[in-house]
Amino acid sequence: MNAPGPHGLPATVVVASNRAAAGVYDDTTGPLIVEALEDLGFAVTGPVVRPDGEPVGAAIAEAAAGGARVVLTTGGTGLTPTDRTPEVTRALLDAEVPGIAEAIRAAGVAKGVPTAVLSRGLAGLVGRCLVVNLPGSRGGVKDALEVLRPVLVHAAEQVVGSDH
């Protein structure tokens, strides 16, 4: 884990990619997310690159159990048969936070990306950890991060009952 920033809240980035996990190519979305979280003052672990499906679910569960207040995933939210990130995420959630995922999809559409509506990404709580599924494309990640920047620290503080 990197040195804590001003907030020092622990966060983990999980990349769902069968090909990147197999070494076919290097992931490029995870580092974007790590940089954005560090800019917000989070102490970041990752990116943790896993094949989509149960390995991603295990990485999310491990991060939440290890004290992460935020887990951002990237990839595995589309319509292909191997895109399983929403399913493994949903199985872990204690409560959904649908407004986050809806806002991420809406931001993509507003930027002229009609396929943003095809993302099945979820957001919700696993204990005291906010988990958000981001798309797997660099553009989708950048759009999602724009949505998350103004609310993520507040959300991470709220999951443990901090005052408004």
Side-chain angles (χ1 to χ4, degrees):
M1 199 175 283
N2 296 328
H7 303 290
L9 299 170
T12 300
V13 176
V14 178
V15 177
S17 174
N18 295 331
R19 291 177 287 177
V24 174
Y25 59 71
D26 290 334
D27 163 63
T28 60
T29 56
L32 285 177
I33 300 168
V34 168
E35 181 180 355
L37 287 170
E38 288 175 342
D39 287 349
L40 288 170
F42 286 90
V44 184
T45 299
V48 177
V49 180
R50 296 288 183 265
D52 203 354
E54 291 305 322
V56 169
I60 294 168
E62 181 181 334
R69 297 277 282 280
V70 170
V71 173
L72 299 184
T73 71
T74 176
T77 63
L79 303 180
T80 71
T82 59
D83 288 330
R84 306 294 301 152
T85 298
E87 287 75 18
V88 298
T89 300
R90 181 171 278 121
L92 298 170
L93 295 181
D94 297 312
E96 288 195 36
V97 185
I100 294 173
E102 292 164 3
I104 290 170
R105 284 185 280 275
V109 171
K111 288 203 167 189
V113 183
T115 55
V117 300
L118 300 178
S119 174
R120 299 179 307 111
L122 300 174
L125 301 176
V126 176
R128 295 176 156 213
C129 177
L130 175 66
V131 178
V132 183
N133 301 148
L134 278 55
S137 70
R138 287 178 61 85
V141 164
K142 289 176 182 178
D143 292 346
L145 291 171
E146 285 181 26
V147 170
L148 292 174
R149 268 188 194 94
V151 299
L152 199 56
V153 170
H154 179 70
E157 291 170 343
Q158 289 297 293
V159 297
V160 294
S162 299
D163 287 337
H164 290 274

